[in-house]
Amino acid sequence: MKALVSVITPAFNSEKFIAATIMSVQNQTFRDWEMIIVDDCSSDATVAIVTEFAVSDDRIKLIRLEKNSGTGIARNTALNTASGKYIAFVDADDLWKPEKLEKANRIHAKPKRSVYV
């Protein structure tokens, strides 16, 4: 089943922050999401930490780049795999408040109004 929101996270040597970032996405009050984390050739425990989360939550997907390519390539790689109607970006060292996706979805769900003059 396709997620409504694809959450994209590029990661490079993010072992100090990535678990908290993932948990802030898992704690969203809006539950219809997938998280695609693209590892940009980390040399620390980033991959192991993300793998641990991905094993227990099938909404979390890990992609590993073969060579260090930078944030832009990591984001574009995730965009090519994303299945969501909407895209949200969260960096590997950022945290979201629990209502972030719910509030964003509420804005997008409002009917569009046309104005005629």
Side-chain angles (χ1 to χ4, degrees), residues 72-91:
I73 298 295
R75 283 192 178 107
N76 286 335
T77 299
L79 282 169
N80 290 333
T81 337
S83 66
K85 180 177 180 180
Y86 301 107
I87 303 293
F89 295 96
V90 62
D91 288 335

Side-chain angles (χ1 to χ4, degrees), residues 56-81:
S56 62
D57 189 337
D58 64 357
R59 297 173 298 174
I60 299 170
K61 296 157 185 64
L62 172 65
I63 298 172
R64 297 178 72 183
L65 296 180
E66 292 181 17
K67 67 176 190 163
N68 184 264
S69 303
T71 304
I73 298 295
R75 283 192 178 107
N76 286 335
T77 299
L79 282 169
N80 290 333
T81 337

Side-chain angles (χ1 to χ4, degrees), residues 1 7 12 16 24 37 43-44 49 55 60 73 85 88 95 98-99 106 108:
M1 187 164 127
V7 179
F12 176 73
K16 292 180 183 176
S24 79
I37 301 169
S43 59
D44 64 1
I49 294 166
V55 166
I60 299 170
I73 298 295
K85 180 177 180 180
L95 301 176
E99 311 82 19
R106 222 177 304 141
H108 290 292

Side-chain angles (χ1 to χ4, degrees), residues 1-2 7-9 21-23 43 52 54 65 70 72 76 80 87 94 107 115:
M1 187 164 127
K2 284 182 158 183
V7 179
I8 293 176
T9 305
T21 300
I22 294 169
M23 287 187 285
S43 59
E52 216 174 290
L65 296 180
N76 286 335
N80 290 333
I87 303 293
D94 288 345
I107 291 168
V115 176

Side-chain angles (χ1 to χ4, degrees), residues 24-31 96-101:
S24 79
V25 174
Q26 286 179 314
N27 290 331
Q28 292 298 298
T29 54
F30 182 83
R31 309 293 296 162
W96 280 352
K97 292 186 177 184
E99 311 82 19
K100 186 220 185 319
L101 289 179

